[in-house]
Amino acid sequence: MEQLNSTSSPARKKRPKFVQTIVDFFSSIYNIHLFIVRFFREAFVPPFEFKEIVRQCYEVGVRSFTLITVTGFIVGFIFTKQSRPSLVEFGAQSWIPKLVSIAIMRALAPLVTALIASGKVGSSIGAELSSMRVTEQIDAMEVSGTKPFKFLVCTRVLATTITIPILATYTGFIALIGGYLNVAQNEGTSYSAFMEEVFKPLTFVDFNASLIKAIVFGFTIGIVGCYQGYYSNKGTEGVGKAANGAVVTAMFLVFIEEVIIVQITGNFR
């Protein structure tokens, strides 16, 4: 797949800067569209790279396990601690478990997981594929008859799409444990009583919305990291730009998707 390259056009030099910026923006949108279409065209057509998908799931999931655990616990503990004074002021400290469960399961768990993965996984994918492009390993795979897009891109995008929802679910439960420790420290609430209160306000829509968010976030992180790395250039400088671009773009899109999904799912509650 050839990317659009407006830099080689003689008309580029004659365009005002703001016009060229707009042209480059829509050119990038078109290239990303072609990249996503190519992914769906090749990802679900045999032969399937199951072994590589499993390896990438390990890279995304297991290697992020410690960071996700620590982050999830801190988020749950701090959120509960910061929410307590306001509720205590109104004598509503019994609402803390419900407030924590709604905030974590509806929003914080998938969002925090996606942001952590954007920084760790997205940058790793962008830098790895970019370095392979710079050292011409991808070109060598194409010459040898191997399908580099299917092996390098499809496997990574599928891995992030599968693994991020699992990590988000795990983050949610770890955050609830962090919240429980704070509640138990101040209220002496038992674990069973806390968990009973936690799941009361949650509905089927809440769990579905969190799952949809995590899947969309995982796909976004994978596709952005692969796009930035697969089409990087400018030698070693491009490796750093690809890693940085993967992180910044993925985080920005995650926030945009969060707003859109919240608006849609809010109509079903």
Side-chain angles (χ1 to χ4, degrees), residues 52-116:
E52 180 64 13
I53 292 174
V54 172
R55 190 183 77 83
Q56 291 300 324
C57 286
Y58 174 83
E59 293 292 330
V60 174
V62 177
R63 293 190 180 277
S64 304
F65 190 78
T66 303
L67 182 60
I68 289 293
T69 301
V70 174
T71 305
F73 180 84
I74 292 174
V75 166
F77 188 87
I78 296 300
F79 180 82
T80 306
K81 187 176 182 65
Q82 295 296 323
S83 302
R84 171 175 295 280
S86 299
L87 293 177
V88 169
E89 185 177 350
F90 294 97
Q93 56 266 35
S94 60
W95 294 358
I96 292 179
K98 296 179 181 179
L99 174 65
V100 170
S101 69
I102 291 173
I104 289 175
M105 301 309 293
R106 285 186 183 178
L108 291 179
L111 183 60
V112 169
T113 303
L115 294 178
I116 295 296

Side-chain angles (χ1 to χ4, degrees), residues 43-55:
F44 305 104
V45 176
F48 301 107
E49 304 287 349
F50 289 113
K51 189 173 181 180
E52 180 64 13
I53 292 174
V54 172
R55 190 183 77 83

Side-chain angles (χ1 to χ4, degrees), residues 5-265:
N5 187 5
S6 59
T7 58
S8 60
S9 174
R12 180 185 177 92
K13 299 180 180 179
K14 300 179 182 179
R15 292 171 180 160
K17 187 175 181 179
F18 76 93
V19 174
Q20 187 58 49
T21 301
I22 295 174
V23 171
D24 290 342
F25 173 77
F26 284 104
S27 177
S28 298
I29 295 296
Y30 179 67
N31 289 330
I32 293 171
H33 167 73
L34 293 179
F35 191 79
I36 295 174
V37 169
R38 185 179 181 185
F39 164 78
F40 283 107
R41 192 170 60 238
E42 296 191 20
F44 305 104
V45 176
F48 301 107
E49 304 287 349
F50 289 113
K51 189 173 181 180
E52 180 64 13
I53 292 174
V54 172
R55 190 183 77 83
Q56 291 300 324
C57 286
Y58 174 83
E59 293 292 330
V60 174
V62 177
R63 293 190 180 277
S64 304
F65 190 78
T66 303
L67 182 60
I68 289 293
T69 301
V70 174
T71 305
F73 180 84
I74 292 174
V75 166
F77 188 87
I78 296 300
F79 180 82
T80 306
K81 187 176 182 65
Q82 295 296 323
S83 302
R84 171 175 295 280
S86 299
L87 293 177
V88 169
E89 185 177 350
F90 294 97
Q93 56 266 35
S94 60
W95 294 358
I96 292 179
K98 296 179 181 179
L99 174 65
V100 170
S101 69
I102 291 173
I104 289 175
M105 301 309 293
R106 285 186 183 178
L108 291 179
L111 183 60
V112 169
T113 303
L115 294 178
I116 295 296
S118 297
K120 189 178 187 304
V121 178
S123 62
S124 176
I125 292 175
E128 184 180 10
L129 295 187
S130 178
S131 63
M132 294 182 70
R133 173 65 71 183
V134 169
T135 56
E136 299 182 350
Q137 295 180 51
I138 296 178
D139 297 332
M141 293 176 69
E142 291 174 344
V143 172
S144 65
T146 307
K147 295 182 178 179
F149 189 93
K150 190 177 188 66
F151 184 80
L152 298 176
V153 174
C154 294
T155 55
R156 283 165 172 78
V157 175
L158 289 174
T160 56
T161 306
I162 294 169
T163 310
I164 297 301
I166 299 174
L167 289 177
T169 304
Y170 173 74
T171 302
F173 283 105
I174 291 296
L176 290 177
I177 291 175
Y180 162 71
L181 291 180
N182 184 271
V183 171
Q185 179 183 2
N186 291 275
E187 308 294 336
T189 306
S190 66
Y191 182 77
S192 59
F194 177 83
M195 284 300 173
E196 184 179 351
E197 290 297 317
V198 158
F199 286 101
K200 275 184 179 180
L202 297 177
T203 64
F204 185 72
V205 174
D206 294 323
F207 289 106
N208 272 350
S210 294
L211 179 61
I212 291 171
K213 284 182 187 179
I215 292 173
V216 173
F217 293 164
F219 176 80
T220 300
I221 293 167
I223 208 75
V224 169
C226 289
Y227 178 82
Q228 293 286 346
Y230 200 78
Y231 291 117
S232 65
N233 50 28
K234 298 182 180 179
T236 54
E237 180 185 354
V239 177
K241 287 187 175 182
N244 182 68
V247 174
V248 174
T249 306
M251 286 186 174
F252 175 76
L253 292 177
V254 162
F255 282 117
I256 297 299
E257 291 165 350
E258 170 74 14
V259 173
I260 294 173
I261 295 175
V262 166
Q263 292 297 322
I264 295 174
T265 56

